[in-house]
Amino acid sequence: MNKGKNILLVENSAADFYKSRLKYAKFLIGKGFNVFALIPEDSVCSMIEAQGVHIYTYRLNRNTNWLSQIFKTIGVYRKIFKEQKIDIVHSYRFFPNIINILIGVLSSRKKIVHITGLGIAYSNTTLKYRIYKHASNVIYFLMVLLSDAVVVQNPDDLRHLTYFKFMQ
C-alpha cells in the first residue's frame, strides 16, 4: 500500500477532471494514496470532493495575461506544498505541465507530465500554428528531459511531437 503518499493531480478545468481524471483519482485512493486536485474554481468541484479527492482551487481568468496567470497558479502550488507533503505531482495539458516542471525543478517531488490534447493546434497548417507547433515541440522536449515520467495519452499526439521520433 501507499499509505501516507500524497499525489497532486493538476488539470485545466474541473469539468475535465471530473470527466477524465476522477476514475484515476479513485483508483489511486483505492491503492492508499491521499489524492489532491488543483483545478480552477467551478461548480463541479463539490462533486469531485464528494468522491474523496481533496480540492485546491484558483481563479482562472482566460482574459488575463498568461504569465500573470502562471504566477498566480504558482502561488497556489506554494500554499499546497506548505499545507501538505506532496510526494508526486501529475499534471495534464500544456500550462499545468509547464508549471509542474518549473516548480518541480526546485523541489524533490516526483514530476509526471501527461501529454494529451494536441489535436487542432498540431493538425492545423496555417503559419501561426506551424510556429506554435515548433515552439511547443521544444518546450515539450524540455519537459520530458526534466520530468520523472511522461505519459502520452494518444498515439496521434506522439506522432505530432517532432523531437519524440526516437521513442517510436
Side-chain angles (χ1 to χ4, degrees), residues 13-25:
S13 80
D16 284 348
F17 187 97
Y18 188 80
K19 181 176 61 177
S20 303
R21 314 295 171 218
L22 186 57
K23 189 174 182 178
Y24 176 58

Side-chain angles (χ1 to χ4, degrees), residues 39-53:
I39 50 180
E41 290 177 1
D42 190 321
S43 60
V44 178
C45 291
S46 59
M47 293 167 48
I48 296 168
E49 204 160 33
Q51 299 294 317
V53 178

